[in-house]
Amino acid sequence: MPSLNSKPNEPLTGTVKVPGDKSISHRSLMLSALAVGESHITGLLEGEDVLATADAMRAMGAKLERLGDGEWRVHGVGVGGLMTPDDIIDMGNSGTSTRLIMGLIASHDITVTMTGDASLRGRPMGRVMVPLADVGATFAAREDKFLPLTITGTNDPMPIDYTPPMASAQVKSAVMLAGLNTPGTTTVREKVATRDHTERMLSAMGADISVTEEDGLRVVRLKGQPELKPITLEVPGDISSSAFLLVAASIIPGSDVTIENVGMNPLRTGIVDALKAMGGNIEILNARTLGGEPVADLRVLSATLKGVTDLPVDPSTMIDEFPVLFCAAAVAEGTSRFTGLEELRVKESDRLAVMAAGLKANGVDVTEFEDGLEIKGAGGKVPGGGMVETHLDHRIAMAFSVLGQMAESAITIDDAAPIQTSFPSFIDLMTGLGAGMSLYSDR
């Protein structure tokens, strides 16, 4: 179990690219595996989570071949063509893969058993099981909602009209993916718009899918049993991975970093707006469209950040970026208060509790609420010197490694291994820009 020490070194300077978008990478493999023909994908994120998706789709009959760094070829089996795997599928740490693949299985006449690591086995799957049961799937799960879980799809799936009780792109996408092999029209009504990568990719592959606004809701309708066309896709850089660089360059004096080819889907860019609201200096350059997704280069210069108590950003547009934003608030001038974040309690870890504990361990004044945190900024460096327990959460590990660059004493992250799930090159990239990070073994 490698631990990570993070301490100040130099201002961050340089031009870099981050790995491919994780959400788009997952979906590109899943949907191309259901296409008729051969798809070609470049820029794929090859972290452990996405590789778990690749293994799962192979286990259910698709042919996926890695051609080179981030370059993959996929031979699809067609909608309805998935097969029962020969063995249990291990999803590792990936909640996205698990929930979306449950959707695919629900409308196929197959039975699949899924498990994962300790973190994933602690994440409830009930929010996906409820609508998929309406489609016709049946489940046998630990305590009725946890992995290991066996899902048996139906040979007579029913189209459903579903309004998720929470804002969740995973739930929406699971229902849409179940709708692919379901006759009739599947409908999802969102109270709050969530990331729309599934809708964009299905449309690009020839599915009959529409998005409208009705009675204050965002309504997505999919006509089932399409013949999906194969795709040629370049996956844009991940805005969620970019967030760690955006915050680090914002808070470390003298920094000037440009991140090229970043996905700028408007339902994902809340972190840019949040940092700007705190006084961040971020330029959006060379805006363009790539594979149906908006893309740009981001230049970020260091700035004096101010605390915020009423963040003018919909939390759903940056739900994965709050851990590192909390670290920005810890070094900002003044107090920040973040609310409406109940969703953070059911991520890879209880991110509100884990972030509060890590901040306190490093001398930050933080108050935890049921739905958020209040953080009194240090107006510069935090004391540091503490040990952070990541609870196998990659974003916790990376967030505190960023905070360590603005700590009087080094911050220690107990386990750096989870970083491999989403950003394998993170430490090398950060140290290449000037950050002070080093791995060591505690054995």
Side-chain angles (χ1 to χ4, degrees):
M1 183 173 74
S3 298
L4 174 66
N5 265 1
S6 179
K7 61 183 180 180
N9 186 34
E10 299 175 354
L12 305 188
T13 57
T15 298
V16 294
K17 288 184 178 180
V18 298
D21 185 281
K22 186 153 74 91
S23 294
I24 296 174
S25 293
H26 281 310
R27 288 159 173 82
S28 69
L29 294 180
M30 292 180 198
L31 293 178
S32 59
L34 292 181
V36 177
E38 180 180 296
S39 294
H40 187 238
I41 303 164
T42 56
L44 188 86
L45 170 64
E46 294 180 328
E48 291 175 351
D49 281 7
V50 175
L51 296 180
T53 295
D55 288 342
M57 301 314 296
R58 281 195 193 99
M60 292 188 289
K63 295 181 180 179
L64 292 84
E65 180 183 4
R66 184 179 186 270
L67 303 178
D69 187 15
E71 183 179 3
W72 289 64
R73 180 165 57 206
V74 181
H75 294 270
V77 297
V79 171
L82 297 180
M83 300 184 299
T84 294
D86 293 332
D87 204 347
I88 293 171
I89 294 178
D90 187 345
M91 301 308 304
N93 186 248
S94 184
T96 298
S97 300
T98 303
R99 291 181 174 126
L100 269 59
I101 288 173
M102 286 169 64
L104 291 177
I105 296 166
S107 57
H108 282 74
D109 188 15
I110 61 176
T111 297
V112 181
T113 299
M114 311 172 82
T115 190
D117 66 11
S119 172
L120 184 58
R121 293 196 305 272
R123 298 181 67 180
M125 297 295 153
R127 58 173 57 184
V128 178
M129 294 164 65
V130 169
L132 296 183
D134 291 340
V135 173
T138 57
F139 302 89
R142 181 172 57 87
E143 298 179 27
D144 295 327
K145 61 181 177 181
F146 295 110
L147 300 182
L149 173 154
T150 297
I151 173 173
T152 299
T154 176
N155 62 2
D156 186 23
M158 298 293 293
I160 63 172
D161 190 322
Y162 188 65
T163 303
M166 78 297 290
S168 172
Q170 292 179 2
V171 174
K172 173 184 63 179
S173 294
V175 174
M176 287 289 113
L177 294 179
L180 279 174
N181 197 38
T182 300
T185 299
T186 293
T187 304
V188 177
R189 303 176 190 270
E190 291 189 295
K191 299 173 185 177
V192 177
T194 61
R195 60 185 64 178
D196 62 352
H197 303 304
T198 301
E199 296 95 303
R200 288 174 181 262
M201 197 172 296
L202 282 172
S203 179
M205 296 176 73
D208 186 347
I209 187 167
S210 66
V211 180
T212 58
E213 296 290 332
E214 300 174 18
D215 299 324
L217 301 177
R218 182 177 182 271
V219 181
V220 184
R221 291 186 175 90
L222 171 68
K223 186 175 180 181
Q225 299 178 318
E227 181 173 302
L228 295 182
K229 299 181 296 186
I231 54 173
T232 299
L233 174 69
E234 180 180 351
V235 179
D238 196 326
I239 185 67
S240 295
S241 296
S242 301
F244 300 101
L245 303 182
L246 294 174
V247 169
S250 293
I251 64 177
I252 301 171
S255 295
D256 183 351
V257 173
T258 297
I259 313 167
E260 295 181 328
N261 200 45
V262 179
M264 295 294 288
N265 186 300
L267 296 172
R268 293 283 304 281
T269 53
I271 183 62
V272 174
D273 298 329
L275 285 171
K276 286 185 175 181
M278 296 175 72
N281 186 352
I282 302 172
E283 296 179 70
I284 299 174
L285 308 172
N286 193 22
R288 56 204 185 275
T289 300
L290 186 66
E293 293 276 353
V295 173
D297 303 332
L298 300 178
R299 184 186 183 196
V300 53
L301 288 82
S302 59
T304 300
L305 300 185
K306 308 290 185 182
V308 290
T309 55
D310 186 18
L311 193 65
V313 177
D314 188 322
S316 69
T317 64
M318 56 171 294
I319 201 69
D320 286 330
E321 288 74 72
F322 273 102
V324 75
L325 187 69
F326 294 155
C327 292
V331 303
E333 296 180 351
T335 297
S336 296
R337 185 181 178 94
F338 306 99
T339 57
L341 304 180
E342 301 93 334
E343 181 73 9
L344 268 66
R345 294 201 182 275
V346 293
K347 302 297 284 185
E348 282 84 337
S349 67
D350 179 341
R351 286 179 175 163
L352 292 180
V354 174
M355 284 300 303
L359 290 170
K360 288 177 182 177
N362 286 282
V364 179
D365 189 341
V366 56
T367 302
E368 179 183 351
F369 308 107
E370 184 61 32
D371 70 339
L373 300 179
E374 182 175 276
I375 300 168
K376 292 184 179 179
K381 290 186 177 181
V382 301
M387 167 74 77
V388 173
E389 296 184 14
T390 65
H391 295 263
L392 300 177
D393 192 327
H394 55 129
R395 300 198 193 280
I396 300 295
M398 289 186 281
F400 279 103
S401 69
V402 168
L403 185 61
Q405 303 305 298
M406 286 293 288
E408 297 289 351
S409 299
I411 291 177
T412 301
I413 289 88
D414 70 339
D415 186 2
I419 293 172
Q420 294 295 316
T421 66
S422 67
F423 200 161
S425 61
F426 173 73
I427 296 171
D428 288 343
L429 187 151
M430 289 291 290
T431 55
L433 290 171
M437 297 181 185
S438 58
L439 290 170
Y440 69 96
S441 175
D442 59 359
R443 294 180 178 176

